[in-house]
Amino acid sequence: MAQQKHISSPFFVFNNGISDTAVYKTHQKQAQLAAQMGFNGVEKNRLDNFDTFYEVLLTNNLKLYTIYVEVNLDEEKAPYDRRLEDVFKKIQGTQAMPWLYVTSKKHKPSSAEQDAIAVPILQEIADLAKKYGLKVALYPHTWFWLETVEDAIRVAEKVNRPNFGMAFNLPHFLATQYYGGENPDKNLQIWAQKARPYVFALSINGADYPPASSDRGKVWESLIKPLGEGNYDTYAFLKTFWDMGFTGPVGLQCYNIKQEKSIHLEKSVHTWQAYKKRYAAGK
C-alpha cells in the first residue's frame, strides 16, 4: 500500500479575494469571510491600517502570511514604505513576510543593469527583517521591473541573505511565458528547480492557457479563475513544488474574478482540499 503524503502547506487568500465590495468593506467582514471559507489566513495589501487589520485577524483565529509591499527604484530617498519596521515589530517571530513587488518607470522590466540599484535596497529590507526573525520574498509581476521568475532568482542570488527569497506566482509565470513566446508546460520543471532554494511561497488559481486575448486589460480573464476552473493543470503545478519538499504557504489569487466572493472562494477551498487528498494518495 502506498505511503500517505501529508501536505503541511497552509492555504491563504489574497486581499483581493475578501475586499473591494460593499459587503466586505470592513476588516471584520473580510476576516469573517476568510475564516468561514476555511482559509488558514490572509494576505495584507500594503501597510495602511495595519494594526487594526492585524488585530482583527487574531481575534478571528487567522494568520497573516504575506504583505504586498512596493519597492520603487525611482524613489532614491524612500524606495519603500518606512513603516515597514513598525510592522516587523508587530509580526516578529511569525510566518508573516512581505512579498515585494519592484517597480520603475525609468527602467525597463527585467533590465539587469538596475540590479546595482535594487540589491542594496533589498539587502537593507532583508537585514531589517532578520532583526525580528522574519523572511522576505520577491513577488515577480508581469510588466513590473522585477517581472519574471528568472529576474527573481538573479536578484535573490545577488541579495544573498538566508532570509531572502521569492514567491513563485502561477498567473504571472503563465503571463510572462506567454508574452515571451515560451512553453510553460515545458519550462515549469526547469524554472522550479532553479528557483527551489529561494521559493518561500506560491500563489495559485485556476487558469485557461493560452489566454483568449493578449490584451493587457483582458489577459487575466483567462489566467485568473477560481481554483478548479480552466484547462490549465494547477494540480500539476502544485505537485511540482510539493515533490521538491516545499512546505511553505500557498496563496489564492482572486484578482478580477467576477463571481460572488463566497461562491468562488468556497469552490477554491473545496478544490484545494481535493488536491491535498489526491497528493496524499500518491496520484
Side-chain angles (χ1 to χ4, degrees):
M1 187 174 179
Q3 186 178 3
Q4 293 268 310
K5 300 178 181 179
H6 175 68
I7 297 302
S8 58
S9 292
F11 192 41
F12 69 95
V13 61
F14 276 42
N15 187 264
N16 55 30
I18 56 173
S19 62
D20 302 331
T21 65
V23 179
Y24 303 109
K25 276 194 176 296
T26 69
H27 297 325
Q28 183 64 24
K29 289 285 188 180
Q30 293 163 10
Q32 286 176 342
L33 176 63
Q36 288 166 3
M37 292 295 102
F39 290 98
N40 300 112
V42 304
E43 175 214 41
K44 174 76 173 77
N45 187 0
R46 302 177 178 85
L47 303 183
D48 290 344
N49 303 309
F50 182 85
D51 289 355
T52 54
F53 183 81
Y54 191 57
E55 290 301 320
V56 168
L57 292 188
L58 298 180
T59 59
N60 283 273
N61 296 313
L62 292 168
K63 291 184 178 180
L64 178 67
Y65 286 102
T66 57
I67 313 163
Y68 194 55
V69 177
E70 181 179 16
V71 173
N72 187 336
L73 300 186
D74 301 341
E75 296 290 340
E76 294 183 14
K77 293 184 178 179
Y80 64 92
D81 192 326
R82 296 300 180 178
R83 295 174 294 179
L84 196 55
E85 184 167 14
D86 291 334
V87 168
F88 285 166
K89 291 175 183 177
K90 276 270 183 183
I91 63 174
Q92 62 183 304
T94 71
Q95 291 178 273
M97 59 183 152
W99 49 10
L100 308 174
Y101 63 104
V102 188
T103 64
S104 174
K105 292 183 178 179
K106 294 179 181 178
H107 310 299
K108 293 180 180 180
S110 302
S111 52
E113 56 268 29
Q114 271 67 56
D115 289 0
I117 300 172
V119 168
I121 298 168
L122 299 171
Q123 286 174 328
E124 180 180 310
I125 296 172
D127 292 343
L128 194 61
K130 184 182 177 183
K131 286 171 54 179
Y132 302 99
L134 300 169
K135 292 182 177 181
V136 179
L138 291 168
Y139 187 103
H141 190 298
T142 315
W143 307 304
F144 288 0
W145 177 80
L146 191 104
E147 183 176 37
T148 67
V149 170
E150 183 177 9
D151 293 338
I153 295 169
R154 183 191 74 244
V155 172
E157 286 177 345
K158 291 181 180 180
V159 171
N160 193 28
R161 298 290 192 271
N163 69 325
F164 190 90
M166 61 177 284
F168 203 114
N169 304 293
L170 172 59
H172 289 292
F173 173 69
L174 292 178
T176 53
Q177 289 282 293
Y178 174 71
Y179 287 117
E182 301 287 342
N183 184 335
D185 291 328
K186 178 183 177 181
N187 292 335
L188 176 61
Q189 287 285 346
I190 297 169
W191 285 115
Q193 285 287 352
K194 289 182 178 180
R196 182 179 182 178
Y198 305 105
V199 176
F200 289 171
L202 303 175
S203 81
I204 61 170
N205 48 261
D208 274 329
Y209 192 88
S213 171
S214 62
D215 185 271
R216 285 177 59 156
K218 296 181 179 179
V219 68
W220 303 122
E221 294 176 12
S222 295
L223 297 184
I224 300 176
K225 295 179 176 294
L227 197 60
E229 292 188 13
N231 62 20
Y232 182 79
D233 191 349
T234 303
Y235 174 74
F237 174 88
L238 271 172
K239 186 176 184 296
T240 297
F241 291 93
W242 284 339
D243 284 349
M244 293 178 186
F246 175 81
T247 59
V250 179
L252 179 69
Q253 172 64 268
C254 304
Y255 177 74
N256 202 41
I257 293 178
K258 305 300 184 185
Q259 293 179 19
E260 201 283 318
K261 291 185 183 299
S262 63
I263 294 174
H264 76 75
L265 292 178
E266 184 176 30
K267 183 185 302 182
S268 291
V269 169
H270 284 169
T271 303
W272 168 258
Q273 297 295 345
Y275 284 170
K276 291 204 301 181
K277 289 177 181 177
R278 182 177 171 186
Y279 190 79
K283 297 179 181 179

